[in-house]
Amino acid sequence: MTSTILVTGGAGYVGSHTTRLLLDRGYRVVILDNLSTGHIEAIDSRAELVRGDLQDKTQIEAAFKDRDIAGIFHFASNILVGESMEKPWIYLRDNVVSACNLLEVAMAHDVKRFVLSSTANLFDAPDEIPIKAEARIAPGSPYGESKYAIERLLGWMERIYGLASCCLRYFNASGAHPDSTIGEDHHPETHLIPIVLQVALGQRERVTIFGDDYPTVDGTCVRDYVHVLDLAEAHLLAFEAMKDGKSRKYNLGSGSGYTVKQIIDHAVAVSGKPIPYTVGPRRPGDLPVLVADTKKIADELGWQPRNSDLETILETAWNWHLAHPQGYSTPKA
Ligand code: UFG
């Protein structure tokens, strides 16, 4: 029998790419999304949409009605580290309340498998680089704290209800679907790669590099960029592995780090356009280097970051931006 997966935030960036992969692999998908930051155009026509908000349990119930949900992929969330320092309650309260509501309804419907979209922001004070899945947790912001709280909630769900969960801590999600129909479109955009490509398109005058006095090869921050399709694949592998009833936690990156300046240089090469930049002050909360150690998921699930070489990431992102210079057509506030 075809399994039905409930995808919260399926109209968002990682959620829409994962939905596409689930459908391609023969799963049925029901998306629960309030479309506050997600895009209706990002939703695959084969998926069902229940427009609803996780703050309201009756709206979550609507997604379960007359459906046998085999598993949940939980993407819907406030996701910005910087914003969480200014508006902590939409993270410390809303992200956690949404997860509590979702889990309460899911447990009443006897859901047995749950995949959480978690974050590298759990590792604000790494003792070593690359960062292993077992590394000491020190959330770097209310955003990271909210994801850590949800990871801990999942531990209780396992103990009390036997829920198997997999927490996937993404490093820097990036790239777009190779057919350029879905990609990254945030309002406002704060992420490096889309901003750099908007400069290449002539939509912004320049990129501001947030600090060039870090202890790295060229003084700019090092990040681990992982292709959104590789993240999607990890979700499917995790879901399938949890047939054994066991919970897991993995770090997801490419295993390689690039500085901000290296990203700009590669983006110039891929786009063939000039990308002017200036250097500004450091952005509060940024760490010099964040790179994932992905050995655990490679050993246990056989996951490999097949699309996460920087050329593929930048080429797919560039093609998405060329095809959708204004992003998805429905405007966002
Ligand atoms: N950067 C600039 N200029 C910009 C934007 C970004 O110099 O205009 C720099 C940042 O300072 C950072 C790097 O580019 O050094 C990457 O920044 P992003 O904003 O693209 O991504 P972050 O590393 O800050 O955060 C991302 C996700 C978080 C997640 C984190 C985990 O947005 O949700 O990765 O590593 F928690």
Side-chain angles (χ1 to χ4, degrees):
M1 201 188 84
T2 313
S3 299
T4 302
I5 308 293
L6 173 63
V7 178
T8 74
Y13 175 41
V14 187
S16 60
H17 287 78
T18 307
T19 294
R20 175 82 74 89
L21 191 63
L22 279 166
L23 292 162
D24 290 347
R25 299 274 170 87
Y27 289 95
R28 266 199 297 264
V29 175
V30 53
I31 288 173
L32 179 60
D33 200 301
N34 64 9
L35 299 179
S36 62
T37 55
H39 303 271
I40 192 113
E41 302 96 316
I43 297 178
D44 194 295
S45 58
R46 295 167 292 174
E48 281 181 88
L49 171 66
V50 174
R51 191 168 178 171
D53 198 307
L54 294 169
Q55 296 289 307
D56 180 348
K57 274 192 281 175
T58 59
Q59 296 183 30
I60 302 173
E61 281 288 356
F64 281 83
K65 194 169 182 315
D66 302 327
R67 295 186 183 94
D68 185 15
I69 303 290
I72 296 179
F73 289 20
H74 180 39
F75 298 98
S77 173
N78 297 312
I79 58 157
L80 297 173
V81 171
E83 181 187 59
S84 79
M85 300 295 285
E86 286 154 24
K87 299 181 184 168
W89 298 114
I90 67 170
Y91 290 81
L92 297 172
R93 181 189 52 225
D94 296 355
N95 279 359
V96 177
V97 168
S98 290
C100 286
N101 286 343
L102 178 63
L103 286 166
E104 188 175 357
V105 175
M107 294 307 92
H109 287 269
D110 204 25
V111 172
K112 288 290 174 216
R113 290 186 262 173
F114 191 100
V115 186
L116 175 68
S117 170
S118 188
T119 176
N121 195 248
L122 298 190
F123 307 111
D124 195 48
D127 297 318
E128 56 172 355
I129 301 280
I131 302 170
K132 294 191 174 73
E134 303 78 10
R136 187 169 54 84
I137 298 211
S141 66
Y143 166 63
E145 189 70 47
S146 72
K147 292 290 181 175
Y148 184 44
I150 300 167
E151 290 201 2
R152 289 178 57 83
L153 283 175
L154 289 169
W156 290 106
M157 295 303 102
E158 178 173 35
R159 244 167 101 172
I160 298 168
Y161 300 105
L163 176 72
S165 64
C166 184
C167 301
L168 297 175
R169 288 87 169 251
Y170 315 160
F171 282 60
N172 291 59
S174 48
H177 198 282
D179 74 6
S180 304
T181 54
I182 49 177
E184 189 169 9
D185 181 11
H186 298 113
H187 296 267
E189 189 52 77
T190 62
H191 296 95
L192 179 66
I193 290 179
I195 286 176
V196 162
L197 297 179
Q198 286 170 357
V199 176
L201 276 174
Q203 296 174 345
R204 296 176 188 252
E205 260 177 47
R206 58 179 61 83
V207 190
T208 302
I209 296 179
F210 298 143
D212 68 351
D213 56 352
Y214 287 97
T216 62
V217 279
D218 59 22
T220 67
C221 289
V222 171
R223 291 291 178 273
D224 181 339
Y225 296 88
V226 55
H227 198 285
V228 64
L229 285 188
D230 290 329
L231 295 180
E233 184 69 48
H235 286 75
L236 267 81
L237 287 172
F239 177 74
E240 282 158 14
M242 282 190 291
K243 270 189 209 131
D244 66 6
K246 292 198 182 115
S247 293
R248 303 158 155 85
K249 292 179 170 59
Y250 299 118
N251 288 356
L252 285 182
S254 68
S256 301
Y258 292 93
T259 67
V260 175
K261 280 190 179 160
Q262 287 167 342
I263 294 292
I264 295 173
D265 289 346
H266 280 80
V268 168
V270 165
S271 66
K273 307 280 184 193
I275 303 181
Y277 64 80
T278 49
V279 177
R282 290 183 174 196
R283 185 172 66 177
D286 272 343
L287 287 183
V289 182
L290 276 174
V291 177
D293 182 329
T294 58
K295 188 174 181 313
K296 188 169 174 221
I297 189 165
D299 287 352
E300 293 183 1
L301 304 188
W303 179 82
Q304 290 297 331
R306 292 184 210 289
N307 303 282
S308 294
D309 58 284
L310 196 54
E311 267 56 46
T312 303
I313 286 176
L314 288 172
E315 269 169 32
T316 55
W318 177 238
N319 289 338
W320 153 257
H321 281 270
L322 284 176
H324 303 267
Q326 305 304 328
Y328 292 105
S329 55
T330 313
K332 291 279 164 198

